[in-house]
Amino acid sequence: MCQLLGLNCATPTDASFSFTGFCQRGGNTGEHADGWGIAFFEGRGLRLFVDHQSAARSPMAEFLQKYPLKSKNIIAHVRKATIGEVALENAHPFTRELWGRHWVFAHNGDLKDYFPPLHSHFRPIGSTDSERAFCWLMQELSKSHASLPSTEELTLTLRELVPQVRHFGSFNFLLSNGEALWAHCSTKLHYLVRQHPFALATLMDHDWTVNFADLNHPGDRAAVIVTTPLTHNETWTAFEPDELKVFVDGLPVLEKTA
């Protein structure tokens, strides 16, 4: 299985601490060595980095750990290939345009015999079940809304769509349009909110402790969503099976079961 990492923040935040620990799972402390990627929203722009090399060995991943980029919405992924060969086009996150916005998607799980009907605007480039699911979600969202709806409306539509994909297998995913971050758990996903008063955090997969009180202001806040907790001295909350959460400005603002 792959692993997911997402950050949704009240103010632009760098992910270097979480990303450094997360990368170790891409071939060092974990077996997810079949590619990686990370996407940073900057306003309506997007910076996307993907690689078919393991995150623990990739020079690009090492560069990003040392040259942090700040964003309010970040999605990262380390891959253990199950469906689709190890190739650059199969590295998550995937991106598409809808309603004049970038959308970013990363998936952890296996969807068996999943080949949904897709029209010409949303078609996969690679050979993963994950990209097919993303294309189908984008296609169905575009059918359901003529223009960009509110976050609440999008969440309600996703609640109707997600079970149709979930029927084919495990479907843990992160999805963002730069304004909100949706997280769905079918098997395993955790989150925490870092906010004032900030405290120490120590990575599980790397020898690094940070005092977030030294790095943040009282108005800063970040929700961190990950497959398996990244730190051993913070309180992580497990998602319920088939739970969909949406995060805005560093908080879970709407919680529904899909």
Side-chain angles (χ1 to χ4, degrees):
M1 289 290 189
C2 307
Q3 292 220 355
L4 302 168
L5 168 66
L7 278 80
N8 172 268
C9 311
T11 57
T13 302
D14 80 70
S16 56
F17 178 74
S18 296
F19 184 60
T20 296
F22 186 66
C23 282
Q24 304 311 306
R25 299 177 178 182
N28 189 3
T29 61
E31 59 183 353
H32 315 87
D34 298 326
W36 67 275
I38 187 168
F40 304 84
F41 283 92
E42 294 185 17
R44 294 181 66 170
L46 181 72
R47 296 183 189 268
L48 175 67
F49 301 86
V50 293
D51 196 348
H52 64 283
Q53 299 183 60
S54 70
R57 308 288 182 266
S58 167
M60 187 187 303
E62 182 181 4
F63 167 77
L64 290 172
Q65 293 170 48
K66 296 178 180 178
Y67 186 77
L69 297 171
K70 292 191 173 184
S71 174
K72 292 181 67 175
N73 286 281
I74 300 167
I75 291 178
H77 182 273
V78 290
R79 184 176 184 232
K80 185 177 186 296
T82 52
I83 298 175
E85 65 273 23
V86 178
L88 188 61
E89 65 268 22
N90 289 332
H92 307 218
F94 302 106
T95 67
R96 292 294 188 276
E97 177 275 330
L98 179 59
W99 303 308
R101 297 292 180 91
H102 292 289
W103 288 75
V104 172
F105 174 89
H107 167 229
N108 163 29
D110 287 311
L111 303 172
K112 303 298 185 184
D113 300 317
Y114 182 68
F115 295 93
L118 299 171
H119 63 55
S120 59
H121 189 63
F122 298 104
R123 299 294 295 272
I125 296 169
S127 54
T128 65
D129 53 337
S130 306
E131 191 181 13
R132 290 194 291 272
F134 179 38
C135 288
W136 185 81
L137 285 176
M138 292 293 95
Q139 173 180 282
E140 299 306 305
L141 285 174
S142 69
K143 289 179 181 178
S144 301
H145 304 279
S147 59
L148 180 65
S150 67
T151 296
E152 183 176 3
E153 290 176 301
L154 283 166
T155 304
L156 292 174
T157 304
L158 285 169
R159 285 187 63 211
E160 297 177 356
L161 297 176
V162 168
Q164 299 178 54
V165 184
R166 174 71 173 92
H167 175 74
F168 289 86
S170 55
F171 195 42
N172 307 289
F173 72 78
L174 300 176
L175 173 71
S176 181
N177 62 358
E179 293 187 353
L181 191 152
W182 289 267
H184 178 260
C185 171
S186 65
T187 55
K188 184 166 67 172
L189 208 58
H190 299 79
Y191 81 97
L192 61 73
V193 175
R194 293 190 181 119
Q195 59 186 343
H196 184 77
F198 295 96
L200 291 172
T202 301
L203 290 171
M204 290 184 177
D205 300 87
H206 189 71
D207 184 16
W208 191 3
T209 297
V210 165
N211 186 354
F212 283 104
D214 295 336
L215 304 175
N216 290 276
H217 301 288
D220 295 336
R221 182 174 57 243
V224 184
I225 305 97
V226 70
T227 303
T228 303
L230 287 171
T231 57
H232 59 68
N233 58 340
E234 295 181 289
T235 301
W236 294 84
T237 300
F239 282 61
E240 296 295 327
D242 294 317
E243 185 175 23
L244 177 69
K245 293 181 182 288
V246 57
F247 297 83
V248 176
D249 291 332
L251 288 173
V253 297
L254 185 64
E255 303 182 9
K256 299 288 184 181
T257 53

